[in-house]
Amino acid sequence: MKSELIENRIIVWSIEDSRKLFSQGYYGKPIGIPKPKIEEIDAPLVLDLIEGLYLLKNKKITINRLKNKITTEELIEIGKKAYFDFENKYQVYKHFRDKGYIINPGIKFGCDFAVYEKGPGIDHSPYLIQVYGRNDTIPATEITITGRLASSVRKQ
């Protein structure tokens, strides 16, 4: 499936490809459809860079920018400029996707990822993930804030 890198987002312009990719694991967000159902997708799909890297590495998409194909290495460099700790976040994303979970950006919950067992709109996300590096120091107040946030939205 062909896609295009525009700034720090990847767009799948083909409606048919958008519907197919979304149905294969709830990848991306259809433009202008807040709570999409597969059969309702009639808009291009927007992928974030972490999703795009995962799909590129798994040969589900190709990514072009100005008619040039983007390589995995180029996308990693772009991601490192756009996201703090991109490579660690990608590893966490990959770990959960490879185990069969649906993992989406968790920005609306104030964290890195929201994890679903079946998919958004089918079940509620039981887990939130905040990614830290192995050597990061995590202040006690941050643990408390994160725990309170998760429990207030009924997540672990």
Side-chain angles (χ1 to χ4, degrees):
M1 290 179 220
K2 294 179 182 178
S3 64
E4 181 180 8
L5 178 66
I6 300 176
E7 294 185 21
N8 64 348
R9 295 284 183 238
I10 299 163
I11 312 293
V12 178
W13 292 107
S14 162
I15 305 303
E16 184 179 318
D17 287 348
S18 293
R19 195 174 294 126
K20 184 176 179 184
L21 196 56
F22 190 81
S23 71
Q24 291 176 351
Y26 297 93
Y27 294 102
K29 301 271 186 258
I31 295 172
I33 305 174
K35 293 187 178 184
K37 294 194 177 10
I38 293 164
E39 63 277 0
E40 297 173 349
I41 295 175
D42 62 354
L45 198 63
V46 179
L47 304 167
D48 92 348
L49 295 175
I50 291 173
E51 283 179 306
L53 179 58
Y54 184 80
L55 293 167
L56 182 64
K57 282 187 167 193
N58 285 287
K59 299 181 181 359
K60 291 191 180 262
I61 64 170
T62 59
I63 304 171
N64 291 315
R65 178 173 56 180
L66 303 174
K67 298 183 182 178
N68 297 317
K69 277 199 175 174
I70 299 287
T71 66
T72 299
E73 295 75 23
E74 289 171 317
L75 192 57
I76 290 169
E77 288 307 311
I78 291 164
K80 285 163 64 174
K81 290 176 187 168
Y83 283 88
F84 172 76
D85 211 13
F86 180 79
E87 290 173 298
N88 280 337
K89 289 177 184 176
Y90 173 75
Q91 289 303 319
V92 170
Y93 178 92
K94 179 184 182 315
H95 172 80
F96 283 93
R97 271 289 181 178
D98 287 351
K99 289 195 174 292
Y101 290 96
I102 308 301
I103 182 164
N104 285 342
I107 189 89
K108 73 180 180 180
F109 297 112
C111 63
D112 291 319
F113 301 111
V115 179
Y116 297 83
E117 292 175 333
K118 296 179 182 160
I122 296 174
D123 65 346
H124 288 280
S125 163
Y127 310 110
L128 300 178
I129 298 175
Q130 185 64 42
V131 178
Y132 294 98
R134 184 178 310 244
N135 298 318
D136 289 348
T137 301
I138 307 169
T141 55
E142 193 163 337
I143 294 170
T144 303
I145 290 167
T146 304
R148 288 181 65 89
L149 171 67
S151 66
S152 72
V153 293
R154 299 187 189 127
K155 313 275 185 240
Q156 293 184 35

